[in-house]
Each structure stands twice: as structure tokens, then as C-alpha cells.
């Protein structure tokens, strides 16, 4: 199997701050933005930022990483 794309999704409570970090430090450009979801792109690389408390996140999946991670 050959990997042809990769789209990591980061969950956070700080959507705007995370967007700004990847834009300012790594040169990502905004391709879509809502209050709970941001899509960024830099060349062939894409990245999503998702609000960890949004209704689309299954119960328990939006919890921050703890010692057991």
C-alpha cells in the first residue's frame, strides 16, 4: 500500500491560538474556518484543528491526554 495523503486532526480548546501558532511558525495558510474547526494548508501538507468539546466528538474522545497516554 502506498500512502498518498495524510490529514492530522488536532483537538484543542484553543482553536485561534493553535491556528496562529501553525500559521506564524510553520507558514500554514487558512483554507477554512468555523468557530469549532480550522483547516490549514502548506504546500501538499494539510492540518485540521478541532474544538475538543464540539458535539461531533464522541463521548470521552475529547478528553485531554493524561499520565496514561
Amino acid at each position: 500500500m502506498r500512502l498518498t495523503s495524510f490529514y492530522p486532526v488536532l483537538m484543542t480548546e484553543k482553536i485561534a491560538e493553535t491556528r496562529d501558532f501553525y500559521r506564524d511558525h510553520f507558514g500554514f495558510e487558512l483554507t477554512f474556518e468555523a468557530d469549532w474547526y480550522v483547516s490549514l494548508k502548506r504546500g501538499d501538507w494539510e492540518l485540521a484543528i478541532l474544538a475538543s468539546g464540539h458535539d461531533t466528538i464522541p463521548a470521552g474522545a475529547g478528553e485531554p491526554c493524561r499520565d496514561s497516554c
Side-chain angles (χ1 to χ4, degrees):
M1 175 172 65
R2 182 173 167 258
L3 183 64
T4 59
S5 66
F6 184 70
Y7 191 60
V9 177
L10 305 176
M11 286 195 300
T12 182
E13 295 177 2
K14 298 180 178 183
I15 300 292
E17 293 91 336
T18 304
R19 175 205 61 214
D20 294 348
F21 177 81
Y22 281 93
R23 182 194 61 210
D24 297 346
H25 294 281
F26 297 103
F28 278 86
E29 296 179 4
L30 184 66
T31 58
F32 177 82
E33 183 171 31
D35 61 341
W36 62 278
Y37 179 84
V38 171
S39 182
L40 302 169
K41 187 168 185 169
R42 181 175 183 250
D44 292 337
W45 301 94
E46 294 184 85
L47 177 66
I49 304 165
L50 179 63
S52 56
H54 191 263
D55 293 341
T56 60
I57 306 299
E63 296 298 319
C65 189
R66 305 266 189 249
D67 293 338
S68 62
C69 293

